[in-house]
Amino acid sequence: MSSLFQPAGPGQSASPILEKAAAILAPVITVAPCLSEPLYFMAQVLYLSGNFDGAQGNLQRCIELDPEWSDAHLLLAQIYLSQGQYAECSQSLETGVSHNFKMREHPFYLLIKAKVLKQTGKLAEATQMLRMCMSLPEMKRGAATGGKADTLSVSERVSVYLELAELLMLNGEQHEATKIIQDAIHAFRDTPEEIRIVVANADMCLSKGEVEMALSMLRDVKPNQPYYIEVKKKMADIYLKVRKDTKLYIACYRELSEQLPGAHTSLLLGDAYMKIQEVFSCNSDQ
């Protein structure tokens, strides 16, 4: 199944599950190098582990073996997108469509294409893509999937809502964007992805100058909840850029390092101290 999961970031070690999956797949690929599915799953593992070159190599081999396989083209496009290579991402999508025209109806195609269009300034076209995606049966909560490979996970359905809300905001359609966020809150209440919607809602409050309301929403997120790191980073950003409060900015990263000790949060704390030094240096030079 295609996925828009994000790869490991700097300072984050690969999941033991990914390492185990790679150990299982490697001998299969050695024994049967012409089977496309093991290559595809290895590409997923490598991508999520942050090995983009290795993932791309496996996917190119997949596409050589089975040019009509939409999932391989879509994962390759997602890898290019995550690296900001928008021309290559578009080319991968269009190559996939040239081999399998039905790929244009694939929800991942619409989502990735919309992301590329947004990054290249084509907001109206991006919005149209996401509205098409929103109309798909796969976007309905609890929709029967029947094991289809083109179904969307909860995380990916949330991404569609949030991308559409952001596009509407960028286009000045604040009322419509607010409605999309409210629909998302209702649709994904009590799911692990609910926190992402909280963050998006906080961003919307910030755009309206409601800083304290945004911070209040974010403070309710606890360390044991998903996306806690992203929430604390968002709070820190508000304290530094909006409140101009360097102490509370650093306090967010200190709390992160204390609540979730590890290489990644230590790296984030170190980066935060360096950023504060840069701020002080810029202020003293003025």
Side-chain angles (χ1 to χ4, degrees), residues 149-160:
D150 58 353
T151 54
L152 293 167
S153 69
V154 172
S155 174
E156 290 147 356
R157 296 207 310 274
V158 169
S159 293
V160 176

Side-chain angles (χ1 to χ4, degrees), residues 76-90:
L76 185 58
Q78 168 64 9
I79 294 170
Y80 284 131
L81 179 66
S82 68
Q83 298 177 90
Q85 296 176 280
Y86 304 120
E88 291 84 352
C89 179
S90 291

Side-chain angles (χ1 to χ4, degrees), residues 42-57:
M42 180 63 90
Q44 282 191 318
V45 168
L46 292 172
Y47 167 59
L48 293 173
S49 301
N51 184 351
F52 297 146
D53 289 341
Q56 288 172 2

Side-chain angles (χ1 to χ4, degrees), residues 46-143:
L46 292 172
Y47 167 59
L48 293 173
S49 301
N51 184 351
F52 297 146
D53 289 341
Q56 288 172 2
N58 277 272
L59 288 170
Q60 294 291 0
R61 180 65 179 143
C62 276
I63 291 167
E64 289 173 10
L65 293 167
D66 186 359
E68 295 185 8
W69 194 7
S70 297
D71 282 3
H73 292 284
L74 289 168
L75 182 55
L76 185 58
Q78 168 64 9
I79 294 170
Y80 284 131
L81 179 66
S82 68
Q83 298 177 90
Q85 296 176 280
Y86 304 120
E88 291 84 352
C89 179
S90 291
Q91 181 61 47
S92 184
L93 292 176
E94 296 318 307
T95 300
V97 169
S98 71
H99 288 291
N100 183 354
F101 195 70
K102 285 188 175 180
M103 196 174 104
R104 295 183 65 178
E105 302 168 9
H106 200 302
F108 295 122
Y109 173 87
L110 295 170
L111 179 54
I112 295 172
K113 184 74 172 177
K115 285 173 179 275
V116 173
L117 289 167
K118 182 185 75 173
Q119 292 296 335
T120 52
K122 299 175 181 176
L123 302 187
E125 292 177 53
T127 302
Q128 182 182 10
M129 286 282 171
L130 290 177
R131 289 200 182 280
M132 288 170 62
C133 198
M134 288 283 285
S135 68
L136 295 173
E138 292 87 350
M139 285 299 296
K140 304 295 185 290
R141 186 174 184 179

Side-chain angles (χ1 to χ4, degrees), residues 27 30 33 70 72 80 103 120-121 144 155 158-161 180 189 214 221 227 230-231 256-257 266 286:
T30 301
S70 297
Y80 284 131
M103 196 174 104
T120 52
S155 174
V158 169
S159 293
V160 176
Y161 277 85
I180 293 293
R189 184 173 285 119
V221 180
Y227 303 104
E230 287 77 6
V231 168
L256 255 183
S257 186
S266 295
Q286 291 176 356

Side-chain angles (χ1 to χ4, degrees), residues 1 25 63 82 109 111 121-122 137 175 186-187 193 247 263:
M1 179 185 291
L25 289 166
I63 291 167
S82 68
Y109 173 87
L111 179 54
K122 299 175 181 176
H175 178 74
H186 175 73
E193 298 298 309
K247 288 183 179 179

